[in-house]
Amino acid sequence: MTPRGAFIAFEGIDGCGKTTQARRVADARDALCTFEPGDTALGAALRAVVLDADMGIDAIAELLVMAADRAQHVAEVIEPALVAGRDVVCDRFSGSTLAYQGHGRRLHLDSIRRVLEVATGGLEPDVTILLDCPVGIARARRADRPTESDRFEIDDSFSERVRAGFLELASATASWRVVDAAAPEASVARAVDDCIAAAIR
Ligand code: TYD
């Protein structure tokens, strides 16, 4: 029987450098590199809806759209790859929903966990790397990007709650590791690799 692949997730506030690290780690491991929200055909449509500032989306509706994206992503992309023995590196997973919709939007964390259990069938990453950095540093990095800010990137106090939520989750969950993402990129990369090597083969 083919051994299951390893499932690695990256989390953090917008601008923390997740995408760079996720791609680098995936390349090094020849892993499938994927992201949420939006990395299926259904997910791309849902992403457009949930990032659209004109939609006036309610916080619970937002939670359920994120969950629908994740359910499709797990069923169509992540689980089949893991079963086939391929490692999967995911840029955001359930931690983002707890941090953004829970701590950011202040929805009830236990209700979110129940929704996530349904969406993922209980699938959790073998290791989650939280790239933590101050909100001001992340904002400055985002300012260098060609794309415009999305609905989640407007308000610093929202981002502060999301950051604190991520740190709380990391301290409460054995499979999470925190890396100082304000450090120079080479030392971030080294710390990420050390965390992954210590957590999985
Ligand atoms: P992402 O694609 O990581 O942002 P970027 O376009 O900067 O690469 O995620 C888009 C937004 O969706 C981001 O602000 C965080 C938010 N989000 C949630 O609120 N809940 C979730 O469960 C997920 C996966 C993302």
Side-chain angles (χ1 to χ4, degrees), residues 14-15 18-19 35-37 47 50-51 62 66-67 69-70 91-98 100-101 105 142 145 147 150-153 158:
D14 301 273
K18 287 177 293 81
T19 307
F35 64 90
E36 294 185 359
R47 181 186 172 95
V50 85
L51 295 185
E62 181 181 276
M66 293 298 184
D69 170 70
R70 185 158 307 125
D91 183 346
R92 297 195 184 283
F93 196 64
S94 295
S96 280
T97 312
L98 290 160
Y100 282 82
Q101 279 64 54
R105 302 275 188 239
R142 290 201 311 268
R145 289 185 193 166
T147 49
D150 67 39
R151 279 194 320 110
F152 298 90
E153 298 171 348
F158 180 84

PDB file of all heavy atoms in Angstrom, residues 14-15 18-19 35-37 47 50-51 62 66-67 69-70 91-98 100-101 105 142 145 147 150-153 158, ligand 1:
ATOM      1  N   ASP A  14      -2.241  38.519   5.926  1.00  0.00           N
ATOM      2  CA  ASP A  14      -1.891  38.883   4.543  1.00  0.00           C
ATOM      3  C   ASP A  14      -0.593  39.692   4.533  1.00  0.00           C
ATOM      4  O   ASP A  14      -0.472  40.667   5.287  1.00  0.00           O
ATOM      5  CB  ASP A  14      -3.021  39.720   3.945  1.00  0.00           C
ATOM      6  CG  ASP A  14      -4.345  38.978   3.951  1.00  0.00           C
ATOM      7  OD1 ASP A  14      -4.608  38.249   3.003  1.00  0.00           O
ATOM      8  OD2 ASP A  14      -5.096  39.114   4.942  1.00  0.00           O
ATOM      9  N   GLY A  15       0.363  39.278   3.705  1.00  0.00           N
ATOM     10  CA  GLY A  15       1.634  39.995   3.627  1.00  0.00           C
ATOM     11  C   GLY A  15       2.736  39.393   4.488  1.00  0.00           C
ATOM     12  O   GLY A  15       3.839  39.917   4.538  1.00  0.00           O
ATOM     13  N   LYS A  18       3.639  33.925   3.326  1.00  0.00           N
ATOM     14  CA  LYS A  18       3.237  32.513   3.207  1.00  0.00           C
ATOM     15  C   LYS A  18       3.437  31.947   1.825  1.00  0.00           C
ATOM     16  O   LYS A  18       3.908  30.823   1.667  1.00  0.00           O
ATOM     17  CB  LYS A  18       1.725  32.341   3.424  1.00  0.00           C
ATOM     18  CG  LYS A  18       1.184  32.462   4.744  1.00  0.00           C
ATOM     19  CD  LYS A  18      -0.340  32.335   4.699  1.00  0.00           C
ATOM     20  CE  LYS A  18      -1.055  33.448   4.008  1.00  0.00           C
ATOM     21  NZ  LYS A  18      -1.165  33.508   2.615  1.00  0.00           N
ATOM     22  N   THR A  19       3.006  32.724   0.835  1.00  0.00           N
ATOM     23  CA  THR A  19       2.980  32.177  -0.520  1.00  0.00           C
ATOM     24  C   THR A  19       4.398  31.847  -0.987  1.00  0.00           C
ATOM     25  O   THR A  19       4.638  30.781  -1.578  1.00  0.00           O
ATOM     26  CB  THR A  19       2.265  33.173  -1.455  1.00  0.00           C
ATOM     27  OG1 THR A  19       0.991  33.464  -0.870  1.00  0.00           O
ATOM     28  CG2 THR A  19       2.064  32.610  -2.841  1.00  0.00           C
ATOM     29  N   PHE A  35      -3.698  26.230  -2.635  1.00  0.00           N
ATOM     30  CA  PHE A  35      -4.040  27.366  -1.775  1.00  0.00           C
ATOM     31  C   PHE A  35      -5.552  27.448  -1.549  1.00  0.00           C
ATOM     32  O   PHE A  35      -6.331  26.873  -2.302  1.00  0.00           O
ATOM     33  CB  PHE A  35      -3.543  28.700  -2.395  1.00  0.00           C
ATOM     34  CG  PHE A  35      -4.214  29.041  -3.703  1.00  0.00           C
ATOM     35  CD1 PHE A  35      -5.383  29.801  -3.740  1.00  0.00           C
ATOM     36  CD2 PHE A  35      -3.690  28.585  -4.901  1.00  0.00           C
ATOM     37  CE1 PHE A  35      -6.017  30.105  -4.950  1.00  0.00           C
ATOM     38  CE2 PHE A  35      -4.321  28.879  -6.117  1.00  0.00           C
ATOM     39  CZ  PHE A  35      -5.480  29.638  -6.139  1.00  0.00           C
ATOM     40  N   GLU A  36      -5.936  28.209  -0.544  1.00  0.00           N
ATOM     41  CA  GLU A  36      -7.343  28.525  -0.277  1.00  0.00           C
ATOM     42  C   GLU A  36      -7.458  30.012   0.015  1.00  0.00           C
ATOM     43  O   GLU A  36      -6.536  30.586   0.618  1.00  0.00           O
ATOM     44  CB  GLU A  36      -7.845  27.728   0.936  1.00  0.00           C
ATOM     45  CG  GLU A  36      -7.881  26.241   0.670  1.00  0.00           C
ATOM     46  CD  GLU A  36      -8.494  25.448   1.831  1.00  0.00           C
ATOM     47  OE1 GLU A  36      -8.866  26.061   2.850  1.00  0.00           O
ATOM     48  OE2 GLU A  36      -8.599  24.242   1.686  1.00  0.00           O
ATOM     49  N   PRO A  37      -8.557  30.654  -0.335  1.00  0.00           N
ATOM     50  CA  PRO A  37      -9.656  30.076  -1.108  1.00  0.00           C
ATOM     51  C   PRO A  37      -9.388  30.138  -2.612  1.00  0.00           C
ATOM     52  O   PRO A  37      -8.695  31.042  -3.057  1.00  0.00           O
ATOM     53  CB  PRO A  37     -10.831  30.998  -0.739  1.00  0.00           C
ATOM     54  CG  PRO A  37     -10.202  32.334  -0.465  1.00  0.00           C
ATOM     55  CD  PRO A  37      -8.853  32.036   0.113  1.00  0.00           C
ATOM     56  N   ARG A  47     -14.300  32.249  -4.550  1.00  0.00           N
ATOM     57  CA  ARG A  47     -13.322  33.274  -4.157  1.00  0.00           C
ATOM     58  C   ARG A  47     -13.750  34.656  -4.671  1.00  0.00           C
ATOM     59  O   ARG A  47     -13.672  35.653  -3.967  1.00  0.00           O
ATOM     60  CB  ARG A  47     -11.934  32.905  -4.701  1.00  0.00           C
ATOM     61  CG  ARG A  47     -10.848  33.909  -4.312  1.00  0.00           C
ATOM     62  CD  ARG A  47      -9.495  33.602  -4.975  1.00  0.00           C
ATOM     63  NE  ARG A  47      -8.580  34.685  -4.728  1.00  0.00           N
ATOM     64  CZ  ARG A  47      -7.687  34.721  -3.736  1.00  0.00           C
ATOM     65  NH1 ARG A  47      -7.557  33.696  -2.929  1.00  0.00           N
ATOM     66  NH2 ARG A  47      -6.928  35.773  -3.566  1.00  0.00           N
ATOM     67  N   VAL A  50     -16.515  35.913  -2.444  1.00  0.00           N
ATOM     68  CA  VAL A  50     -16.192  36.245  -1.049  1.00  0.00           C
ATOM     69  C   VAL A  50     -15.244  37.449  -0.956  1.00  0.00           C
ATOM     70  O   VAL A  50     -15.200  38.123   0.065  1.00  0.00           O
ATOM     71  CB  VAL A  50     -15.664  34.984  -0.320  1.00  0.00           C
ATOM     72  CG1 VAL A  50     -14.186  34.762  -0.529  1.00  0.00           C
ATOM     73  CG2 VAL A  50     -15.997  35.039   1.151  1.00  0.00           C
ATOM     74  N   LEU A  51     -14.513  37.736  -2.025  1.00  0.00           N
ATOM     75  CA  LEU A  51     -13.620  38.904  -2.001  1.00  0.00           C
ATOM     76  C   LEU A  51     -14.278  40.156  -2.581  1.00  0.00           C
ATOM     77  O   LEU A  51     -13.703  41.233  -2.549  1.00  0.00           O
ATOM     78  CB  LEU A  51     -12.313  38.600  -2.750  1.00  0.00           C
ATOM     79  CG  LEU A  51     -11.422  37.514  -2.134  1.00  0.00           C
ATOM     80  CD1 LEU A  51     -10.102  37.391  -2.895  1.00  0.00           C
ATOM     81  CD2 LEU A  51     -11.143  37.742  -0.655  1.00  0.00           C
ATOM     82  N   GLU A  62     -20.139  34.274   4.871  1.00  0.00           N
ATOM     83  CA  GLU A  62     -18.701  34.249   4.542  1.00  0.00           C
ATOM     84  C   GLU A  62     -18.063  32.952   5.063  1.00  0.00           C
ATOM     85  O   GLU A  62     -17.295  32.282   4.348  1.00  0.00           O
ATOM     86  CB  GLU A  62     -18.042  35.470   5.171  1.00  0.00           C
ATOM     87  CG  GLU A  62     -16.556  35.593   4.907  1.00  0.00           C
ATOM     88  CD  GLU A  62     -16.002  36.835   5.612  1.00  0.00           C
ATOM     89  OE1 GLU A  62     -16.106  37.927   5.041  1.00  0.00           O
ATOM     90  OE2 GLU A  62     -15.471  36.704   6.730  1.00  0.00           O
ATOM     91  N   MET A  66     -16.330  29.983   2.733  1.00  0.00           N
ATOM     92  CA  MET A  66     -14.973  29.478   2.967  1.00  0.00           C
ATOM     93  C   MET A  66     -15.006  27.964   3.194  1.00  0.00           C
ATOM     94  O   MET A  66     -14.145  27.230   2.722  1.00  0.00           O
ATOM     95  CB  MET A  66     -14.327  30.164   4.188  1.00  0.00           C
ATOM     96  CG  MET A  66     -14.036  31.636   3.999  1.00  0.00           C
ATOM     97  SD  MET A  66     -12.848  31.940   2.663  1.00  0.00           S
ATOM     98  CE  MET A  66     -12.656  33.728   2.800  1.00  0.00           C
ATOM     99  N   ALA A  67     -16.031  27.521   3.936  1.00  0.00           N
ATOM    100  CA  ALA A  67     -16.150  26.089   4.216  1.00  0.00           C
ATOM    101  C   ALA A  67     -16.475  25.303   2.943  1.00  0.00           C
ATOM    102  O   ALA A  67     -15.953  24.202   2.725  1.00  0.00           O
ATOM    103  CB  ALA A  67     -17.214  25.852   5.271  1.00  0.00           C
ATOM    104  N   ASP A  69     -15.647  26.160  -0.118  1.00  0.00           N
ATOM    105  CA  ASP A  69     -14.397  26.132  -0.882  1.00  0.00           C
ATOM    106  C   ASP A  69     -13.501  25.003  -0.354  1.00  0.00           C
ATOM    107  O   ASP A  69     -12.919  24.236  -1.125  1.00  0.00           O
ATOM    108  CB  ASP A  69     -13.688  27.479  -0.752  1.00  0.00           C
ATOM    109  CG  ASP A  69     -12.279  27.435  -1.323  1.00  0.00           C
ATOM    110  OD1 ASP A  69     -12.165  27.346  -2.563  1.00  0.00           O
ATOM    111  OD2 ASP A  69     -11.309  27.437  -0.542  1.00  0.00           O
ATOM    112  N   ARG A  70     -13.401  24.914   0.983  1.00  0.00           N
ATOM    113  CA  ARG A  70     -12.496  23.905   1.583  1.00  0.00           C
ATOM    114  C   ARG A  70     -13.011  22.494   1.334  1.00  0.00           C
ATOM    115  O   ARG A  70     -12.232  21.582   1.045  1.00  0.00           O
ATOM    116  CB  ARG A  70     -12.338  24.177   3.083  1.00  0.00           C
ATOM    117  CG  ARG A  70     -11.318  23.240   3.754  1.00  0.00           C
ATOM    118  CD  ARG A  70     -10.770  23.818   5.043  1.00  0.00           C
ATOM    119  NE  ARG A  70     -10.251  25.140   4.796  1.00  0.00           N
ATOM    120  CZ  ARG A  70     -10.634  26.245   5.461  1.00  0.00           C
ATOM    121  NH1 ARG A  70     -11.482  26.159   6.450  1.00  0.00           N
ATOM    122  NH2 ARG A  70     -10.135  27.415   5.135  1.00  0.00           N
ATOM    123  N   ASP A  91      -1.397  26.758   1.092  1.00  0.00           N
ATOM    124  CA  ASP A  91      -1.315  28.156   1.513  1.00  0.00           C
ATOM    125  C   ASP A  91      -2.685  28.524   2.092  1.00  0.00           C
ATOM    126  O   ASP A  91      -3.609  28.794   1.342  1.00  0.00           O
ATOM    127  CB  ASP A  91      -0.970  28.966   0.245  1.00  0.00           C
ATOM    128  CG  ASP A  91      -0.767  30.443   0.501  1.00  0.00           C
ATOM    129  OD1 ASP A  91      -1.133  30.933   1.570  1.00  0.00           O
ATOM    130  OD2 ASP A  91      -0.252  31.109  -0.420  1.00  0.00           O
ATOM    131  N   ARG A  92      -2.815  28.427   3.404  1.00  0.00           N
ATOM    132  CA  ARG A  92      -4.030  28.586   4.219  1.00  0.00           C
ATOM    133  C   ARG A  92      -4.848  27.298   4.253  1.00  0.00           C
ATOM    134  O   ARG A  92      -4.996  26.594   3.259  1.00  0.00           O
ATOM    135  CB  ARG A  92      -4.969  29.701   3.713  1.00  0.00           C
ATOM    136  CG  ARG A  92      -4.349  31.080   3.765  1.00  0.00           C
ATOM    137  CD  ARG A  92      -5.445  32.138   3.611  1.00  0.00           C
ATOM    138  NE  ARG A  92      -4.879  33.476   3.574  1.00  0.00           N
ATOM    139  CZ  ARG A  92      -4.450  34.131   4.648  1.00  0.00           C
ATOM    140  NH1 ARG A  92      -4.513  33.572   5.831  1.00  0.00           N
ATOM    141  NH2 ARG A  92      -3.954  35.342   4.537  1.00  0.00           N
ATOM    142  N   PHE A  93      -5.410  27.035   5.462  1.00  0.00           N
ATOM    143  CA  PHE A  93      -6.363  25.925   5.628  1.00  0.00           C
ATOM    144  C   PHE A  93      -7.300  26.313   6.774  1.00  0.00           C
ATOM    145  O   PHE A  93      -7.573  27.516   6.944  1.00  0.00           O
ATOM    146  CB  PHE A  93      -5.601  24.593   5.864  1.00  0.00           C
ATOM    147  CG  PHE A  93      -6.428  23.358   5.667  1.00  0.00           C
ATOM    148  CD1 PHE A  93      -6.956  23.028   4.427  1.00  0.00           C
ATOM    149  CD2 PHE A  93      -6.708  22.510   6.740  1.00  0.00           C
ATOM    150  CE1 PHE A  93      -7.744  21.900   4.250  1.00  0.00           C
ATOM    151  CE2 PHE A  93      -7.484  21.372   6.575  1.00  0.00           C
ATOM    152  CZ  PHE A  93      -7.995  21.066   5.332  1.00  0.00           C
ATOM    153  N   SER A  94      -7.764  25.362   7.549  1.00  0.00           N
ATOM    154  CA  SER A  94      -8.800  25.649   8.561  1.00  0.00           C
ATOM    155  C   SER A  94      -8.388  26.724   9.564  1.00  0.00           C
ATOM    156  O   SER A  94      -9.250  27.458  10.067  1.00  0.00           O
ATOM    157  CB  SER A  94      -9.149  24.368   9.329  1.00  0.00           C
ATOM    158  OG  SER A  94      -9.740  23.440   8.456  1.00  0.00           O
ATOM    159  N   GLY A  95      -7.103  26.834   9.864  1.00  0.00           N
ATOM    160  CA  GLY A  95      -6.637  27.866  10.800  1.00  0.00           C
ATOM    161  C   GLY A  95      -7.058  29.253  10.356  1.00  0.00           C
ATOM    162  O   GLY A  95      -7.376  30.119  11.192  1.00  0.00           O
ATOM    163  N   SER A  96      -7.076  29.499   9.040  1.00  0.00           N
ATOM    164  CA  SER A  96      -7.475  30.822   8.546  1.00  0.00           C
ATOM    165  C   SER A  96      -8.931  31.115   8.882  1.00  0.00           C
ATOM    166  O   SER A  96      -9.291  32.259   9.168  1.00  0.00           O
ATOM    167  CB  SER A  96      -7.277  30.922   7.023  1.00  0.00           C
ATOM    168  OG  SER A  96      -5.922  31.179   6.721  1.00  0.00           O
ATOM    169  N   THR A  97      -9.781  30.096   8.836  1.00  0.00           N
ATOM    170  CA  THR A  97     -11.198  30.325   9.136  1.00  0.00           C
ATOM    171  C   THR A  97     -11.379  30.643  10.622  1.00  0.00           C
ATOM    172  O   THR A  97     -12.156  31.536  10.994  1.00  0.00           O
ATOM    173  CB  THR A  97     -12.027  29.084   8.735  1.00  0.00           C
ATOM    174  OG1 THR A  97     -11.629  28.696   7.416  1.00  0.00           O
ATOM    175  CG2 THR A  97     -13.503  29.381   8.736  1.00  0.00           C
ATOM    176  N   LEU A  98     -10.653  29.924  11.480  1.00  0.00           N
ATOM    177  CA  LEU A  98     -10.741  30.210  12.921  1.00  0.00           C
ATOM    178  C   LEU A  98     -10.197  31.610  13.214  1.00  0.00           C
ATOM    179  O   LEU A  98     -10.766  32.355  14.012  1.00  0.00           O
ATOM    180  CB  LEU A  98      -9.969  29.142  13.710  1.00  0.00           C
ATOM    181  CG  LEU A  98     -10.656  27.772  13.683  1.00  0.00           C
ATOM    182  CD1 LEU A  98      -9.675  26.650  14.024  1.00  0.00           C
ATOM    183  CD2 LEU A  98     -11.840  27.748  14.648  1.00  0.00           C
ATOM    184  N   TYR A 100      -9.723  34.333  10.932  1.00  0.00           N
ATOM    185  CA  TYR A 100     -10.419  35.449  10.251  1.00  0.00           C
ATOM    186  C   TYR A 100     -11.897  35.515  10.632  1.00  0.00           C
ATOM    187  O   TYR A 100     -12.404  36.573  11.004  1.00  0.00           O
ATOM    188  CB  TYR A 100     -10.273  35.336   8.728  1.00  0.00           C
ATOM    189  CG  TYR A 100      -8.928  35.798   8.205  1.00  0.00           C
ATOM    190  CD1 TYR A 100      -7.819  34.963   8.239  1.00  0.00           C
ATOM    191  CD2 TYR A 100      -8.761  37.080   7.686  1.00  0.00           C
ATOM    192  CE1 TYR A 100      -6.575  35.383   7.766  1.00  0.00           C
ATOM    193  CE2 TYR A 100      -7.529  37.512   7.213  1.00  0.00           C
ATOM    194  CZ  TYR A 100      -6.445  36.669   7.256  1.00  0.00           C
ATOM    195  OH  TYR A 100      -5.227  37.098   6.802  1.00  0.00           O
ATOM    196  N   GLN A 101     -12.603  34.365  10.485  1.00  0.00           N
ATOM    197  CA  GLN A 101     -14.046  34.431  10.767  1.00  0.00           C
ATOM    198  C   GLN A 101     -14.307  34.360  12.283  1.00  0.00           C
ATOM    199  O   GLN A 101     -15.258  34.954  12.769  1.00  0.00           O
ATOM    200  CB  GLN A 101     -14.789  33.293  10.032  1.00  0.00           C
ATOM    201  CG  GLN A 101     -15.074  33.559   8.566  1.00  0.00           C
ATOM    202  CD  GLN A 101     -13.822  33.697   7.702  1.00  0.00           C
ATOM    203  OE1 GLN A 101     -12.964  32.815   7.707  1.00  0.00           O
ATOM    204  NE2 GLN A 101     -13.694  34.803   6.972  1.00  0.00           N
ATOM    205  N   ARG A 105     -13.909  38.243  12.632  1.00  0.00           N
ATOM    206  CA  ARG A 105     -15.346  38.591  12.545  1.00  0.00           C
ATOM    207  C   ARG A 105     -16.090  38.306  13.843  1.00  0.00           C
ATOM    208  O   ARG A 105     -17.300  38.539  13.927  1.00  0.00           O
ATOM    209  CB  ARG A 105     -16.043  37.806  11.420  1.00  0.00           C
ATOM    210  CG  ARG A 105     -15.455  38.005  10.043  1.00  0.00           C
ATOM    211  CD  ARG A 105     -16.014  39.236   9.367  1.00  0.00           C
ATOM    212  NE  ARG A 105     -15.554  39.270   7.994  1.00  0.00           N
ATOM    213  CZ  ARG A 105     -14.839  40.264   7.487  1.00  0.00           C
ATOM    214  NH1 ARG A 105     -14.514  41.316   8.211  1.00  0.00           N
ATOM    215  NH2 ARG A 105     -14.440  40.219   6.222  1.00  0.00           N
ATOM    216  N   ARG A 142       2.626  44.353   1.661  1.00  0.00           N
ATOM    217  CA  ARG A 142       1.483  44.327   0.723  1.00  0.00           C
ATOM    218  C   ARG A 142       1.494  45.540  -0.189  1.00  0.00           C
ATOM    219  O   ARG A 142       1.077  45.458  -1.348  1.00  0.00           O
ATOM    220  CB  ARG A 142       0.150  44.288   1.485  1.00  0.00           C
ATOM    221  CG  ARG A 142      -0.122  43.003   2.201  1.00  0.00           C
ATOM    222  CD  ARG A 142      -1.598  42.850   2.483  1.00  0.00           C
ATOM    223  NE  ARG A 142      -2.207  44.015   3.082  1.00  0.00           N
ATOM    224  CZ  ARG A 142      -2.340  44.234   4.388  1.00  0.00           C
ATOM    225  NH1 ARG A 142      -1.886  43.354   5.253  1.00  0.00           N
ATOM    226  NH2 ARG A 142      -2.928  45.317   4.833  1.00  0.00           N
ATOM    227  N   ARG A 145       2.953  45.111  -3.533  1.00  0.00           N
ATOM    228  CA  ARG A 145       2.332  44.183  -4.507  1.00  0.00           C
ATOM    229  C   ARG A 145       1.593  44.937  -5.596  1.00  0.00           C
ATOM    230  O   ARG A 145       1.035  46.008  -5.332  1.00  0.00           O
ATOM    231  CB  ARG A 145       1.288  43.301  -3.819  1.00  0.00           C
ATOM    232  CG  ARG A 145       1.857  42.275  -2.912  1.00  0.00           C
ATOM    233  CD  ARG A 145       0.682  41.435  -2.442  1.00  0.00           C
ATOM    234  NE  ARG A 145       1.050  40.594  -1.337  1.00  0.00           N
ATOM    235  CZ  ARG A 145       0.156  39.961  -0.575  1.00  0.00           C
ATOM    236  NH1 ARG A 145      -1.129  40.094  -0.814  1.00  0.00           N
ATOM    237  NH2 ARG A 145       0.552  39.198   0.398  1.00  0.00           N
ATOM    238  N   THR A 147      -1.279  43.953  -6.872  1.00  0.00           N
ATOM    239  CA  THR A 147      -2.731  43.807  -6.727  1.00  0.00           C
ATOM    240  C   THR A 147      -3.276  44.733  -5.637  1.00  0.00           C
ATOM    241  O   THR A 147      -2.582  45.086  -4.707  1.00  0.00           O
ATOM    242  CB  THR A 147      -3.093  42.349  -6.332  1.00  0.00           C
ATOM    243  OG1 THR A 147      -2.261  41.968  -5.236  1.00  0.00           O
ATOM    244  CG2 THR A 147      -2.891  41.399  -7.474  1.00  0.00           C
ATOM    245  N   ASP A 150      -7.634  43.366  -0.573  1.00  0.00           N
ATOM    246  CA  ASP A 150      -8.975  42.794  -0.595  1.00  0.00           C
ATOM    247  C   ASP A 150      -9.745  43.230   0.658  1.00  0.00           C
ATOM    248  O   ASP A 150      -9.247  43.976   1.483  1.00  0.00           O
ATOM    249  CB  ASP A 150      -8.923  41.262  -0.796  1.00  0.00           C
ATOM    250  CG  ASP A 150      -8.299  40.524   0.374  1.00  0.00           C
ATOM    251  OD1 ASP A 150      -8.552  40.922   1.523  1.00  0.00           O
ATOM    252  OD2 ASP A 150      -7.587  39.539   0.125  1.00  0.00           O
ATOM    253  N   ARG A 151     -10.979  42.738   0.780  1.00  0.00           N
ATOM    254  CA  ARG A 151     -11.872  43.129   1.884  1.00  0.00           C
ATOM    255  C   ARG A 151     -11.285  42.869   3.263  1.00  0.00           C
ATOM    256  O   ARG A 151     -11.718  43.427   4.241  1.00  0.00           O
ATOM    257  CB  ARG A 151     -13.155  42.285   1.794  1.00  0.00           C
ATOM    258  CG  ARG A 151     -14.133  42.767   0.817  1.00  0.00           C
ATOM    259  CD  ARG A 151     -15.506  42.120   1.002  1.00  0.00           C
ATOM    260  NE  ARG A 151     -15.529  40.711   1.321  1.00  0.00           N
ATOM    261  CZ  ARG A 151     -15.894  40.222   2.505  1.00  0.00           C
ATOM    262  NH1 ARG A 151     -16.227  41.005   3.497  1.00  0.00           N
ATOM    263  NH2 ARG A 151     -15.921  38.916   2.700  1.00  0.00           N
ATOM    264  N   PHE A 152     -10.323  41.917   3.351  1.00  0.00           N
ATOM    265  CA  PHE A 152      -9.783  41.514   4.644  1.00  0.00           C
ATOM    266  C   PHE A 152      -8.545  42.325   5.015  1.00  0.00           C
ATOM    267  O   PHE A 152      -7.982  42.149   6.070  1.00  0.00           O
ATOM    268  CB  PHE A 152      -9.406  40.026   4.609  1.00  0.00           C
ATOM    269  CG  PHE A 152     -10.575  39.118   4.355  1.00  0.00           C
ATOM    270  CD1 PHE A 152     -10.927  38.769   3.061  1.00  0.00           C
ATOM    271  CD2 PHE A 152     -11.326  38.625   5.409  1.00  0.00           C
ATOM    272  CE1 PHE A 152     -12.000  37.927   2.823  1.00  0.00           C
ATOM    273  CE2 PHE A 152     -12.407  37.798   5.180  1.00  0.00           C
ATOM    274  CZ  PHE A 152     -12.747  37.447   3.888  1.00  0.00           C
ATOM    275  N   GLU A 153      -8.089  43.193   4.118  1.00  0.00           N
ATOM    276  CA  GLU A 153      -6.781  43.836   4.307  1.00  0.00           C
ATOM    277  C   GLU A 153      -6.898  45.329   4.592  1.00  0.00           C
ATOM    278  O   GLU A 153      -5.912  46.046   4.536  1.00  0.00           O
ATOM    279  CB  GLU A 153      -5.914  43.617   3.048  1.00  0.00           C
ATOM    280  CG  GLU A 153      -5.623  42.155   2.777  1.00  0.00           C
ATOM    281  CD  GLU A 153      -4.964  41.927   1.424  1.00  0.00           C
ATOM    282  OE1 GLU A 153      -4.920  42.852   0.588  1.00  0.00           O
ATOM    283  OE2 GLU A 153      -4.500  40.793   1.188  1.00  0.00           O
ATOM    284  N   PHE A 158      -8.682  44.864  12.713  1.00  0.00           N
ATOM    285  CA  PHE A 158      -9.103  43.521  12.281  1.00  0.00           C
ATOM    286  C   PHE A 158      -7.871  42.618  12.140  1.00  0.00           C
ATOM    287  O   PHE A 158      -7.840  41.503  12.665  1.00  0.00           O
ATOM    288  CB  PHE A 158      -9.868  43.631  10.949  1.00  0.00           C
ATOM    289  CG  PHE A 158     -10.351  42.310  10.400  1.00  0.00           C
ATOM    290  CD1 PHE A 158     -11.551  41.755  10.831  1.00  0.00           C
ATOM    291  CD2 PHE A 158      -9.611  41.616   9.455  1.00  0.00           C
ATOM    292  CE1 PHE A 158     -11.997  40.542  10.326  1.00  0.00           C
ATOM    293  CE2 PHE A 158     -10.050  40.400   8.941  1.00  0.00           C
ATOM    294  CZ  PHE A 158     -11.249  39.864   9.376  1.00  0.00           C
TER     295      PHE A 158
HETATM  296  P1  TYD B   1      -5.295  34.781   0.186  1.00  0.00           P
HETATM  297  O1  TYD B   1      -5.537  34.194  -1.151  1.00  0.00           O
HETATM  298  O2  TYD B   1      -4.317  34.097   1.076  1.00  0.00           O
HETATM  299  O3  TYD B   1      -4.873  36.293   0.052  1.00  0.00           O
HETATM  300  P2  TYD B   1      -3.909  36.944  -1.057  1.00  0.00           P
HETATM  301  O4  TYD B   1      -4.834  37.353  -2.162  1.00  0.00           O
HETATM  302  O5  TYD B   1      -3.354  38.102  -0.305  1.00  0.00           O
HETATM  303  O6  TYD B   1      -2.902  35.919  -1.425  1.00  0.00           O
HETATM  304  O7  TYD B   1      -6.674  34.874   0.963  1.00  0.00           O
HETATM  305  C1  TYD B   1      -7.667  35.803   0.574  1.00  0.00           C
HETATM  306  C2  TYD B   1      -8.351  36.301   1.799  1.00  0.00           C
HETATM  307  O8  TYD B   1      -9.249  35.321   2.322  1.00  0.00           O
HETATM  308  C3  TYD B   1      -7.370  36.642   2.919  1.00  0.00           C
HETATM  309  O9  TYD B   1      -7.534  38.002   3.270  1.00  0.00           O
HETATM  310  C4  TYD B   1      -7.786  35.762   4.073  1.00  0.00           C
HETATM  311  C5  TYD B   1      -9.194  35.344   3.738  1.00  0.00           C
HETATM  312  N1  TYD B   1      -9.588  34.018   4.284  1.00  0.00           N
HETATM  313  C6  TYD B   1     -10.560  33.959   5.293  1.00  0.00           C
HETATM  314  O10 TYD B   1     -11.055  34.995   5.744  1.00  0.00           O
HETATM  315  N2  TYD B   1     -10.953  32.726   5.755  1.00  0.00           N
HETATM  316  C7  TYD B   1     -10.450  31.561   5.267  1.00  0.00           C
HETATM  317  O11 TYD B   1     -10.856  30.453   5.714  1.00  0.00           O
HETATM  318  C8  TYD B   1      -9.454  31.638   4.221  1.00  0.00           C
HETATM  319  C9  TYD B   1      -8.875  30.381   3.640  1.00  0.00           C
HETATM  320  C10 TYD B   1      -9.056  32.894   3.762  1.00  0.00           C
END
